[in-house]
Amino acid sequence: MTSILVLNGPNLNLLGQREPGIYGAITLPEIEVMCRARADLLGVLVEFDQSNHEGVLVDRIQESVGKVDGLVLNAGAFTHTSIALRDAIAATAIPTIELHISNVHAREEFRHFSYIAAVSVGLICGLGPAGYPLAIEAMATHLTSEGA
Ligand code: DQA
């Protein structure tokens, strides 16, 4: 069965209390429930994880080789800073969708650049928490059409 890892970076554990005007009131565990519901409908497996630590995220991506078919990554602020995460995606060649809750292009200029985008299949941003199940669906479709 197709397996997709949804991986969240720094400060996303604070969703629900963190800048609700930007990120909304929904919590990360609630987003996980949304992801699992969509995965069930699609008939795919979902792993869901979060870390505030860059190296832990790199480890998680490396350990996922051969275990997951696709990655949905909200790298948080590491999106804009981390060559290490970019290299982990390139090194493992796990198909990746970059995800952001907020529209990073409508925010501060330092959020406009992404190290992840160039090694990603595609990007979803600005659609709020609904972007998570959409990204799972997009990845499931991508993996199916790749194999076709
Ligand atoms: C974010 C956008 C990033 O710029 C920010 O650092 C985050 C969250 C988002 O989901 O909108 O932590 O990735």
Side-chain angles (χ1 to χ4, degrees):
M1 197 187 253
T2 298
S3 176
I4 298 169
L5 170 63
V6 180
L7 190 55
N8 294 280
N11 300 307
L12 290 162
N13 55 315
L14 298 180
L15 286 177
Q17 35 172 306
R18 172 192 185 198
E19 299 182 90
I22 295 173
Y23 298 112
I26 199 161
T27 65
L28 199 60
E30 288 167 342
I31 288 176
E32 180 174 354
V33 169
M34 288 165 61
C35 287
R36 294 197 182 284
R38 184 66 58 96
D40 286 350
L41 278 176
L42 294 166
V44 301
L45 290 173
V46 144
E47 292 179 30
F48 196 93
D49 217 344
Q50 187 274 334
S51 176
N52 291 322
H53 305 279
E54 186 176 14
V56 173
L57 294 167
V58 170
D59 285 344
R60 192 69 169 89
I61 293 169
Q62 289 185 9
E63 288 159 6
S64 295
V65 173
K67 294 184 186 145
V68 305
D69 303 292
L71 172 65
V72 170
L73 177 63
N74 185 348
F78 289 149
T79 305
H80 319 297
T81 62
S82 179
I83 298 170
L85 275 177
R86 181 231 181 267
D87 283 355
I89 294 165
T92 58
I94 299 173
T96 298
I97 291 179
E98 177 180 341
L99 172 68
H100 302 287
I101 295 168
S102 64
N103 180 356
V104 287
H105 297 288
R107 300 180 62 194
E108 302 94 328
E109 199 161 343
F110 61 82
R111 296 184 204 277
H112 297 180
F113 176 76
S114 165
Y115 279 105
I116 311 299
V119 290
S120 294
V121 171
L123 162 68
I124 293 177
C125 87
L127 302 180
Y132 280 83
L134 285 172
I136 289 170
E137 189 157 352
M139 180 54 75
T141 303
H142 172 75
L143 292 169
T144 307
S145 56
E146 251 190 357

